[in-house]
Amino acid sequence: MKILLVYPYFIDKRINEEDVSAIPMGLYYVGAMLRANGYAVDILNGHNLGRAPHRIYQVLGDKQPDVVGFSILHANRWGGIDIARMVKKVNPKATVVFGGVGATFLWEHFLTHFPEIDYVIRGEGEHSFLELIRFLENKKGKRPAQIDGLAFRKKGKPIKTKDREQLADLDSLPMPAHHFAFQHISLTRGCPEGCTFCGSPALWKRRVRFHSAEYFVTQMEILREKGVGFFFVSDDTFTLKRDLVIDICRRIVERRLDIVWAAISRVDCVDEEVLSWMRRAGCTQISYGVESGSRELRDRYRKRISEAAICRAFDLTVRYGIMARAYFIYGAPGESDQTIDESLALLRRIRPLSAIFYILDLFPGTALYEDYKRRTGASDDIWLDRVEDLLYFETDATLSKTTVLDFGRRLREGYLSLLPEFAAQIDLMDDPQLYPLHADFLSRLALTFSHGDYAINPLVENNLATAVMLFERSLGYHPDHRAFWGLGLVYQHLRRFDDSLAILQRGIEHHKTSPDLHMALANSLMRLNRYPEARQCLEAISDHPRAVEQLIRCCRFIGDREGEQTWIGRLNRLQQG
């Protein structure tokens, strides 16, 4: 039996595709469970295939799946419906199964209105899907009515079986890293909090289960061997068990995994020891849900955090050389100019080095969505419209679209105008053991001002001056490779070629075999018409195709035809492997 698991596309175009490009971890766990039990499984990341149906048809034609399972988050449900219809066109006998958080809360809606969907997995899917596959394969084992966590039609009517009991031992699941390569990993399932905008309380019943440190770090280690060096730790609150987190970090350090990772946490779940270990183990960013500067709105969200805890977490996180990122929500019940002013005031106090501002959405399974249905008498049939989401302000007569969009504009513009000031106020822990990590932190941040998101945003003023300041601070802690390289490039951009030469030559003294530093130095020399020196610099790294391309350029400028032909031959050999 051939099985295809699909992460479908979203219908609205994203400004940043990275927001939706990663396959959910649950799909990898389901795939690993099936492969561990002998089934042939492929995974299709269709997040970017909304405008390329021919590619989807091609995959379906090539794979000829008997069963197609979909990971439905909610906003991608129409992509799932579209592809399910394609599946039935290619093979009417193929079985279509929806799963994921969106399918869990809208199982009846899907089975009522969309005949191309045959089954819905509710809740955790590994065992439910495996049992369903075994039934579909030979009609043996548990029949659908006996499979917990399943929904289907009986005599044309949607029905569901009893809820599947949550898996007690997460380590008993086959490890996805043995079967797939990916960057998003998780330590836990669930969250103990009850935020009104989140579906987790209804999905996981505010219960949290944990992998062991050994399982989690071994998964990282296997993925590192597959070439994955950066990880997104996607738990709602990674640091719920501080001793477990410290154990994980200690193992990462002891095994010398040499990885970089970002995590999500709560401001009341971090302390100095945890942050110190996280930084030493490669953590470079922690995202915290702040939501609003208004205590009244945080209470409405049931976000049980104090302003003192928020300020403390952001201060400590940055002191240990970890970028503290803030999540804010706007357009909430009771949002006003005053509450936006309070959010801006809190931003000034916590000085986040990254911030994301979300407009409040209503999603099935959340307390705010249930409140909306009670207030208006609406039903899940609203999702028959081809839309991704429902914005809260669309349900509240006291808020207009113009007003709410202006709230967002004020937050973003206010924050971005303050960023250079926040960067200048960074206060790092004075611990010599952390100096190399501080240098790494500062140079990473500098690069966002010189070449990253902040470099191209017109609302961020003095971005190059800020980058220079951060690169120079970085080098004050440690001869950081990225700082030498980035500062050399900024000086080139500013046409300060002598300064560029000086800093890049210093960098090469510390990093003698660095292709990036040699390339940058040669570029500065060529811009000063010092081609013989540039040639000599590039010859030191002539195993690199980019260096050879520049060597060819140098030979042309100085009229060395024989040298040019020699390097052209060298380039051809390198490109042919």
Side-chain angles (χ1 to χ4, degrees), residues 92-111:
K93 294 183 179 179
T95 300
V96 169
V97 185
F98 270 27
V101 61
T104 296
F105 291 128
L106 289 181
W107 67 269
E108 189 171 11
H109 169 79
F110 285 128
L111 292 171

Side-chain angles (χ1 to χ4, degrees), residues 196-257:
T196 59
F197 52 80
C198 181
S200 178
L203 182 67
W204 302 119
K205 315 303 180 189
R206 298 179 70 173
R207 179 188 173 198
V208 185
R209 292 156 294 148
F210 299 80
H211 279 298
S212 67
E214 178 61 25
Y215 184 105
F216 184 79
V217 177
T218 297
Q219 177 136 266
M220 277 184 156
E221 189 171 25
I222 293 169
L223 291 168
R224 186 71 186 94
E225 291 169 356
K226 292 183 177 185
V228 180
F230 183 85
F231 295 92
F232 297 93
V233 181
S234 302
D235 304 88
D236 292 326
T237 307
F238 175 66
T239 57
L240 273 175
K241 281 189 177 181
R242 67 183 305 278
D243 291 344
L244 177 59
V245 171
I246 291 171
D247 188 9
I248 286 168
C249 293
R250 184 179 287 113
R251 290 168 188 253
I252 291 172
V253 172
E254 289 173 351
R255 297 187 193 186
R256 302 177 185 269
L257 294 191

Side-chain angles (χ1 to χ4, degrees), residues 402-432:
T402 301
T403 299
V404 172
L405 293 181
D406 189 61
F407 289 157
R409 179 194 60 76
R410 287 186 58 203
L411 287 169
R412 291 185 182 90
E413 291 182 2
Y415 167 68
L416 291 171
S417 70
L418 294 167
L419 252 180
E421 178 182 329
F422 295 165
Q425 293 173 347
I426 290 171
D427 181 21
L428 296 170
M429 185 69 64
D430 189 15
D431 179 350

Side-chain angles (χ1 to χ4, degrees), residues 397-516:
T398 67
L399 293 171
S400 69
K401 179 178 180 179
T402 301
T403 299
V404 172
L405 293 181
D406 189 61
F407 289 157
R409 179 194 60 76
R410 287 186 58 203
L411 287 169
R412 291 185 182 90
E413 291 182 2
Y415 167 68
L416 291 171
S417 70
L418 294 167
L419 252 180
E421 178 182 329
F422 295 165
Q425 293 173 347
I426 290 171
D427 181 21
L428 296 170
M429 185 69 64
D430 189 15
D431 179 350
Q433 291 187 347
L434 291 175
Y435 285 177
L437 298 175
H438 288 346
D440 173 81
F441 164 68
L442 291 165
S443 67
R444 285 179 187 275
L445 181 59
L447 212 59
T448 66
F449 282 94
S450 64
H451 292 80
D453 291 342
Y454 300 153
I456 60 176
N457 195 315
L459 296 174
V460 180
E461 298 181 352
N462 302 316
N463 58 297
L464 289 182
T466 301
V468 168
M469 178 271 295
L470 291 168
F471 282 133
E472 289 177 344
R473 276 198 69 184
S474 171
L475 293 173
Y477 281 105
H478 186 75
D480 181 82
H481 176 273
R482 188 188 302 108
F484 284 121
W485 177 71
L487 190 53
L489 294 184
V490 171
Y491 285 154
Q492 283 180 5
H493 181 79
L494 297 173
R495 305 191 66 79
R496 292 169 55 180
F497 296 117
D498 288 339
D499 290 332
S500 178
L501 292 178
I503 199 67
L504 291 167
Q505 286 166 343
R506 272 183 56 199
I508 289 171
E509 290 173 9
H510 292 279
H511 307 277
K512 292 181 170 54
T513 61
S514 166
D516 290 330

